[in-house]
Amino acid sequence: MAASVLIACGLNEQKLPGFVHISEESNVDGSFLISCILGQRLRISNAGTLLVCLQHHYQHYFNAGMRLGYNSNIFLGKTLNVIDVLSDMARQGLNSKWLRSPNGLTLTEQLAEDIRAQLANNYANRSSYTILIDNLSILFNLGASKLQVQQFCQALADLAKEHENLTVITKLSNSDIHQLTDNNVAKLGHVRIQVLRLKSGVFREVDGKLLIERVLDEGRYACEESRKEVLYKVNDRNVKIFNPGEIGVKV
Amino acid sequence: MTSFRKRTVQKPIRGTRTSPHTAQVITSSGNPSLDVILGGGLPIGSICLIEEDRFMTHAKVLAKYFLAEGVLSKQEIFLGSLDDLPAEMLRRLPKPLTDEEVELEQRQEQLASEQPADKNGLRIAFRYGDLPLVNSEQAGHKIGHHFNLMEHMDSMMLYYAQTTVWDDSYKEHDIVVQEDNISNSSNSLDQTATIVADASPAAVDATPPPAAAGENASTVAVDVEIEADAESTAVISSSNNNNNNNDNNTASTTPGTTIAMPATQPPPPPPPPAAAVAPPTAVAPPPPAPSAMEPHFFYNPRYGRLLNDVQQLLRDESFVPGTNTQQKNLCRVCLTSLGSPLWYDDHFAGDLLKFLTILRASVRSCTAVCFITMPMHLIAKYDTSLVPKIRQLVDYSIELESFAGSERETHPAFKEYSGLLHLHKMSALNTLAVHMPETTDLAFKLRRKKFVIEKLHLPPELQETSEKSAAADIMATPNCGSIVSGNSNVSMDF
């Protein structure tokens, strides 16, 4: 269902890189990537996953997962843990801890605290652990500054370095607007996936473009990088990948 | 032990159905052609943003359709606006058409489309004679209702509608009390905000005096002392929850508000006769205590007040998903001209984004749909980067580009249309793939009785060469999705 897109991004392996950043341009929807990665992580036995829902409710990921052929509810509370910020805000309204910062912690500090608590509870029992954050631009909307978001991502990257087999995957929407933060966060890891729209407009058979940048070897003076560009089409129950030039206008 | 399990089929919410394409519960936006573009209707929990045209005429029409559909489907309605008078807007909702009227109208339209060809003496070539007529109007199978924009909805329908309006009544410090002459009043929406004190039916009208004048109602000015902290006050919102909230007609004044009632209270009027079209006094539920209400999250307290009212309404158990109660219902939240200059202050951008983020969280987690209109051309002038940020926070973003006031208004290529419709965002909510309409080159026309969205067709041949070249100048180059991408020089990616 989603194997082709994961292979294209190099995320189909059991052991993932420590920090992966997904940049999403304005006017393009890359949330299918999160659903694909989530499904892949849940299928690995004894691999823990923490999903931080900022963009959608957990229910959205469940429904999208069902389309991709996995039932995330089976894993919920076992290998899958969820921090559903959006649901909490809906329940508590303006009294939600994410909006009030009751302990004097900022939104990002509070979130980092909760992630650390989840990690402390679950990491030891799991063969590997993945933290999925969808997405960082909501933190900006809720009043976090660039510095706070940057520090939050830095703290997550440090966690990934401290813990073996821990992967942090972040997503940032409107990357063309938050360009500085986007580049800085991407520098924290070795894999960056850019979800770009087609500059020539809308095409029925292709939704957009994935630009995958991977640092292969970071030497003292030179850095070896690989860049790969593929086209994608999100269908109702799968995601198709095309190489540039493979698909064209049929007359 | 048998594997037989009794199948429990959940009763669908009024005015909703399950989409056969996405298996999502959807509801009509009120306009059949807009429903077709959205893939059948608005999914429950979604936010639809209409980017207003410069003169704000067409976006309001769509908002009225949205509200009228809610009234007809007996759904709960929340209408909030700073620019418009919500009560006035509700009073001017379009009249629903019966099935016979819809059929008759369609037949007349078909006849009208066939007539001009005969008059001109033009005949269709025999090979094309048997082909069905091309209908470019975006209308599919029947969902929702049809409305007539020329006539207003019957006041009896509005009487039974469950509506809550918000116009930030606290902007007025002097509130006018209107003695409600219920037996003489002919419209349930004459009172926009009502406070009943000590079971006496004195009503507080928060609308400006001109709107409240007339209708055989004597008005008495009452001093209202509002505490200095404006944030701690709550919004008086009118509510016509007549059907099931009769026992809620009790006193509810805001904590910071003191109403000095005149010493000589008029006796309570007799109960209205059954035939009288007048609302029983209904009051919005009392707001929470000031300390718990607004923890100063917004710089502009209006956002907090609006959000509190919306969230308070959405917390009702009839909107909680998954519950199997008999009173399961859908809430339609409509906010018109959000982000207009009346909302401006020093922290406008930050507050608006915060508001939309929390509103999105609230709407997603209950059985509600939200319809927002925004003057995006003004917001773009305020801050260009705000536009994509706002679009990211909604599920559907549709721009109405009206020809009024532009050179396209008189251009022969567009003489059939009132404007262009741009689809900026269609998001996949609770699913993987997004629904895309057959074409994204769409135009709308405001006819006498209805608002229609059609595929954009240029006339077969323009008369003069100069006109043709002018049309070519105005229209974007015929790249695929030319409406979406303004850059015509870019080569194709595939």
Side-chain angles (χ1 to χ4, degrees):
Chain A
M1 303 277 182
S4 57
V5 69
L6 291 170
I7 291 167
C9 298
L11 300 176
N12 58 326
E13 290 157 20
Q14 288 216 1
K15 188 174 171 10
L16 295 181
F19 195 95
V20 178
H21 180 61
I22 301 168
S23 311
E24 190 185 86
E25 227 182 7
S26 299
N27 264 345
V28 71
D29 189 6
S31 56
F32 69 93
L33 274 175
I34 296 288
S35 296
C36 293
I37 296 167
L38 180 65
Q40 194 260 352
R41 299 318 294 170
L42 291 178
R43 283 194 183 101
I44 300 169
S45 65
N46 205 29
T49 310
L50 174 64
L51 178 65
V52 181
C53 307
L54 286 158
Q55 171 85 14
H56 299 286
H57 281 112
Y58 166 71
Q59 200 62 26
H60 167 84
Y61 300 98
F62 164 70
N63 286 316
M66 290 299 276
R67 296 263 161 188
L68 282 172
Y70 66 88
N71 184 349
S72 59
N73 274 355
I74 295 171
F75 305 98
L76 192 62
K78 295 166 192 165
T79 56
L80 173 66
N81 299 99
V82 176
I83 299 176
D84 201 342
V85 178
L86 235 53
S87 291
D88 194 56
M89 284 197 298
R91 265 196 308 274
Q92 310 284 332
L94 292 176
N95 296 319
S96 166
K97 68 176 179 180
W98 309 107
L99 306 177
R100 290 193 75 177
S101 53
N103 308 326
L105 299 173
T106 61
L107 170 66
T108 48
E109 285 168 350
Q110 180 75 49
L111 197 55
E113 193 85 352
D114 279 28
I115 290 170
R116 277 197 201 97
Q118 288 279 356
L119 196 64
N121 287 337
N122 301 307
Y123 176 73
N125 312 325
R126 306 287 165 217
S127 58
S128 65
Y129 205 78
T130 310
I131 301 170
L132 282 161
I133 297 168
D134 184 22
N135 77 51
L136 296 172
S137 67
I138 301 294
L139 298 176
F140 287 119
N141 293 343
L142 292 174
S145 64
K146 280 179 194 170
L147 181 67
Q148 285 171 348
V149 174
Q150 182 64 39
Q151 284 172 343
F152 171 67
C153 293
Q154 184 70 53
L156 292 176
D158 290 344
L159 277 180
K161 280 174 195 162
E162 285 164 19
H163 297 77
E164 207 181 335
N165 288 335
L166 174 69
T167 304
V168 177
I169 300 174
T170 56
K171 195 182 96 176
L172 179 73
S173 290
N174 293 332
S175 60
D176 45 341
I177 295 169
H178 308 292
Q179 212 165 11
L180 186 71
T181 308
D182 184 47
N183 287 332
N184 288 342
V185 174
K187 287 279 174 209
L188 296 172
H190 287 89
V191 179
R192 180 191 197 176
I193 303 165
Q194 293 187 60
V195 189
L196 309 167
R197 62 173 180 266
L198 297 177
K199 286 188 177 60
S200 52
V202 176
F203 183 34
R204 192 163 284 278
E205 290 174 50
V206 176
D207 284 341
K209 198 161 54 173
L210 292 177
L211 181 61
I212 302 127
E213 293 170 325
R214 184 181 277 261
V215 177
L216 298 174
D217 184 26
E218 203 171 10
R220 187 174 285 182
Y221 301 109
C223 177
E224 195 186 338
E225 266 190 355
S226 78
R227 283 165 67 92
K228 188 175 167 187
E229 199 175 297
V230 290
L231 305 170
Y232 70 89
K233 168 72 185 167
V234 183
N235 292 317
D236 196 27
R237 291 182 182 272
N238 59 25
V239 185
K240 280 187 178 171
I241 292 293
F242 309 102
N243 288 318
E246 189 181 332
I247 199 157
V249 180
K250 295 181 187 79
V251 183
Chain B
M1 185 171 165
T2 174
S3 62
F4 174 76
R5 280 185 194 171
K6 192 179 176 186
R7 195 179 167 198
T8 51
V9 181
Q10 278 199 343
K11 213 178 160 188
I13 305 168
R14 275 191 304 264
T16 64
R17 71 181 178 94
T18 307
S19 164
H21 307 296
T22 58
Q24 289 191 81
V25 182
I26 54 171
T27 186
S28 171
S29 68
N31 186 288
S33 45
L34 182 61
D35 284 341
V36 174
I37 289 165
L38 298 175
L42 289 166
I44 303 295
S46 64
I47 299 181
C48 180
L49 168 70
I50 301 291
E51 300 180 12
E52 289 174 358
D53 46 299
R54 281 175 201 281
F55 298 104
M56 291 194 294
T57 46
H58 302 103
K60 262 184 203 166
V61 171
L62 284 178
K64 281 179 186 171
Y65 271 117
F66 178 77
L67 293 168
E69 180 62 39
V71 172
L72 232 65
S73 306
K74 292 177 184 151
Q75 293 162 349
E76 185 95 27
I77 288 170
F78 182 96
L79 173 60
S81 180
L82 274 186
D83 292 50
D84 307 310
L85 291 172
E88 189 66 21
M89 197 168 167
L90 282 174
R91 208 178 289 143
R92 290 169 184 273
L93 293 183
K95 186 188 169 189
L97 295 176
T98 58
D99 289 345
E100 291 80 31
E101 284 173 322
V102 174
E103 254 180 57
L104 186 71
E105 195 179 275
Q106 282 171 351
R107 221 175 298 143
Q108 281 173 348
E109 275 176 18
Q110 202 175 341
L111 282 172
S113 63
E114 286 169 5
Q115 270 173 357
D118 297 339
K119 274 181 185 173
N120 295 335
L122 296 173
R123 285 191 303 160
I124 299 169
F126 74 94
R127 71 176 83 170
Y128 303 120
D130 294 336
L131 290 177
L133 280 171
V134 176
N135 186 10
S136 55
E137 185 179 328
Q138 302 283 299
H141 43 272
K142 191 176 177 291
I143 45 165
H145 299 87
H146 293 261
F147 298 94
N148 180 0
L149 289 173
M150 288 286 283
E151 292 178 57
H152 292 164
M153 191 178 270
D154 185 18
S155 53
M156 270 303 277
M157 277 184 185
L158 292 170
Y159 174 81
Y160 287 111
Q162 300 168 17
T163 57
T164 306
V165 295
W166 182 94
D167 59 357
D168 197 26
S169 309
Y170 278 94
K171 64 190 173 192
E172 302 291 342
H173 280 221
D174 292 328
I175 297 177
V176 177
V177 169
Q178 178 182 3
E179 283 179 21
D180 187 16
N181 192 345
I182 293 173
S183 58
N184 290 336
S185 172
S186 63
N187 197 323
S188 67
L189 294 159
D190 286 342
Q191 305 89 32
T192 53
T194 309
I195 294 178
V196 183
D198 295 326
S200 65
V204 177
D205 196 335
T207 52
E215 305 268 347
N216 296 329
S218 61
T219 55
V220 180
V222 170
D223 292 329
V224 178
E225 296 168 22
I226 295 176
E227 281 184 3
D229 185 9
E231 286 186 22
S232 65
T233 58
V235 176
I236 308 167
S237 62
S238 83
S239 171
N240 291 339
N241 298 334
N242 308 325
N243 301 352
N244 48 8
N245 289 343
N246 287 336
D247 54 342
N248 285 346
N249 299 343
T250 52
S252 80
T253 53
T254 55
T257 310
T258 318
I259 299 183
M261 299 300 290
T264 53
Q265 283 284 325
V277 189
T281 20
V283 182
S291 58
M293 200 180 71
E294 285 179 21
H296 301 282
F297 187 66
F298 296 102
Y299 289 99
N300 185 347
R302 278 172 174 164
Y303 289 104
R305 291 200 285 263
L306 176 56
L307 201 62
N308 258 314
D309 273 23
V310 174
Q311 286 185 329
Q312 213 171 317
L313 181 68
L314 295 181
R315 279 192 199 116
D316 192 282
E317 66 168 5
S318 56
F319 307 127
V320 177
T323 51
N324 231 342
T325 57
Q326 291 291 319
Q327 295 150 353
K328 212 170 168 185
N329 204 352
L330 177 85
C331 184
R332 284 178 181 252
V333 180
C334 181
L335 307 175
T336 59
S337 296
L338 183 72
S340 69
L342 287 177
W343 291 90
Y344 282 5
D345 69 348
D346 291 343
H347 304 91
F348 169 70
D351 275 356
L352 184 62
L353 291 175
K354 278 179 199 170
F355 173 80
L356 286 173
T357 309
I358 304 168
L359 178 73
R360 177 186 160 101
S362 301
V363 172
R364 279 273 204 281
S365 56
C366 59
T367 52
V369 281
C370 186
F371 192 90
I372 303 175
T373 69
M374 273 190 183
M376 208 59 103
H377 57 283
L378 295 178
I379 291 173
K381 278 178 186 158
Y382 184 91
D383 183 1
T384 320
S385 68
L386 204 52
V387 175
K389 287 178 188 171
I390 290 170
R391 282 183 190 151
Q392 196 234 330
L393 289 171
V394 297
D395 300 301
Y396 298 95
S397 177
I398 299 166
E399 185 191 347
L400 300 177
E401 184 197 340
S402 172
F403 294 152
S406 72
E407 58 178 355
R408 290 181 179 185
E409 191 176 11
T410 51
H411 197 278
F414 300 113
K415 67 180 177 187
E416 279 189 26
Y417 305 112
S418 307
L420 296 177
L421 189 134
H422 305 283
L423 293 176
H424 287 297
K425 189 184 178 189
M426 308 267 287
S427 69
L429 174 64
N430 290 329
T431 184
L432 202 63
V434 62
H435 164 82
M436 280 305 284
E438 200 181 330
T439 176
T440 50
D441 292 332
L442 297 162
F444 63 88
K445 56 172 95 166
L446 186 60
R447 288 187 187 157
R448 238 164 26 99
K449 290 184 180 176
K450 62 179 182 178
F451 183 94
V452 184
I453 301 168
E454 291 184 353
K455 284 181 208 166
L456 176 65
H457 288 295
L458 291 177
E461 185 69 36
L462 294 172
Q463 294 299 316
E464 294 166 23
T465 325
S466 59
E467 281 179 352
K468 239 195 283 188
S469 61
D473 291 344
I474 288 173
M475 287 298 294
T477 49
N479 279 344
C480 53
S482 54
I483 278 179
V484 177
S485 172
N487 191 356
S488 59
N489 296 325
V490 184
S491 59
M492 290 185 182
D493 289 287
F494 40 83

